[in-house]
Amino acid sequence: MKNLGATLNCNFCDARLSSVFKELKGTQLEEMNEHKSCVHFKKGQSIFNENGVPFGLFCVNQGKIKLTTAGIDGKEQILRLSKAGDILGYRALLSGEHYNSAAIALEDSSVCFLPKEILYSLLENNKLLGFEMMKLLSNDLKQAEQQIVSLSQKNVRERTAEALLFLKATYGLLQDNTIAVSLTREEIADFVGTATESVIRILSEFNTDKIIQLDGKKIKILDLPKLLKTANIED
């Protein structure tokens, strides 16, 4: 980890403009900038651990983060994927509970930390910030409900196609239609909720059917309508 100190300024932060803090202005923005701290995490490093005690809020400045939990058999389950502008650990912080997941850098990432006392002060004095937090909570709950439905009603092939579409929606595509994040086959399996061998086989079938093109960990989408149909999702 590398402490970035004051090198990241909230006043000029593009990630903030796509986060819940986009409504902050004037003295409130200065208060956040003064009290936040920023750290650079290497790929694979933990931002926080499952069952840890939250002392503040994390906001992704740059990079990609996975939120994971350990299953009964010890196998990792990816609950959520985050990008620049996303905040981490807010539910545990606001409810006064321990973290129910771990946050791990998928690539070299910069993450800012805001102490809970400062967050509470900002929430007390800015109704728009509170509203943005409520919208975020609502969206996260909707996503969790959709994931439950997918796990209970869709087969592994459909869920794998759905996972690729989710990665596209979260991180976007490069100019050549390659999904702009590189996950291992094991990580994709952890997100889908199945065995790594199953994901390897299904991705190979998608490749053969020319729905996608595989190049190591890179996945290029060749036929989006067919991928949507495979995931059983209406365009």
Side-chain angles (χ1 to χ4, degrees):
M1 291 184 296
K2 179 182 178 183
N3 195 324
L4 299 177
T7 58
L8 297 178
N9 190 316
C10 297
N11 291 280
F12 310 106
C13 178
D14 290 336
R16 181 184 66 81
L17 298 178
S18 61
S19 78
V20 296
F21 297 110
K22 61 187 177 185
E23 301 294 346
L24 293 187
K25 297 178 178 65
T27 56
Q28 290 185 328
L29 183 57
E30 288 300 331
E31 182 181 11
M32 183 171 76
N33 186 57
E34 180 183 351
H35 290 93
K36 65 97 174 69
S37 58
C38 302
V39 177
H40 183 78
F41 293 88
K42 292 287 189 181
K43 178 180 179 180
Q45 285 188 316
S46 295
I47 291 88
F48 56 79
N49 296 315
E50 189 171 0
N51 296 317
V53 178
F55 294 102
L57 189 71
F58 295 90
C59 186
V60 184
N61 173 266
Q62 187 175 9
K64 300 176 178 69
I65 312 292
K66 62 178 179 179
L67 283 91
T68 72
T69 187
I72 297 175
D73 57 357
K75 179 176 171 58
E76 182 180 276
Q77 174 70 48
I78 295 179
L79 303 175
R80 192 155 62 92
L81 297 167
S82 297
K83 61 185 184 304
D86 288 346
I87 60 173
L88 310 174
Y90 77 97
R91 288 191 298 269
L93 180 65
L94 295 178
S95 64
E97 300 174 346
H98 289 200
Y99 293 122
N100 70 342
S101 62
I104 302 168
L106 281 169
E107 63 183 30
D108 289 0
S109 303
S110 301
V111 180
C112 295
F113 174 80
L114 186 68
K116 64 180 180 181
E117 295 82 7
I118 305 303
L119 175 65
Y120 291 164
S121 172
L122 294 173
L123 284 169
E124 262 186 56
N125 296 290
N126 192 307
K127 292 182 180 179
L128 288 175
L129 176 58
F131 183 65
E132 289 296 325
M133 295 284 281
M134 288 174 60
K135 285 201 301 184
L136 179 62
L137 181 60
S138 177
N139 288 333
D140 282 352
L141 180 58
K142 177 183 176 182
Q143 182 181 318
E145 289 172 343
Q146 290 174 336
Q147 193 168 4
I148 290 171
V149 172
S150 178
L151 285 169
S152 63
Q153 297 186 5
K154 293 190 175 184
N155 60 43
V156 177
R157 183 180 175 87
E158 290 172 326
R159 298 205 312 268
T160 302
E162 190 175 52
L164 297 181
L165 291 167
F166 180 82
L167 294 176
K168 168 186 173 292
T170 302
Y171 297 118
L173 299 174
L174 303 178
Q175 287 187 345
D176 64 351
N177 283 337
T178 297
I179 297 174
V181 63
S182 295
L183 300 181
T184 65
R185 300 295 186 262
E186 183 177 8
E187 286 172 329
I188 295 174
D190 291 341
F191 186 65
V192 172
T194 190
T196 304
E197 295 76 12
S198 297
V199 161
I200 292 173
R201 173 179 54 80
I202 291 169
L203 289 179
S204 179
E205 291 173 359
F206 289 175
N207 187 74
T208 300
D209 294 341
K210 299 191 183 304
I211 299 174
I212 62 172
Q213 180 179 311
L214 300 174
D215 181 12
K217 290 193 291 185
K218 296 179 181 178
I219 300 176
K220 181 188 294 186
I221 296 179
L222 300 179
D223 193 333
L224 181 58
K226 198 168 183 179
L227 187 61
L228 286 162
K229 184 178 180 180
T230 304
N232 198 14
I233 295 175
E234 294 183 5
D235 191 358

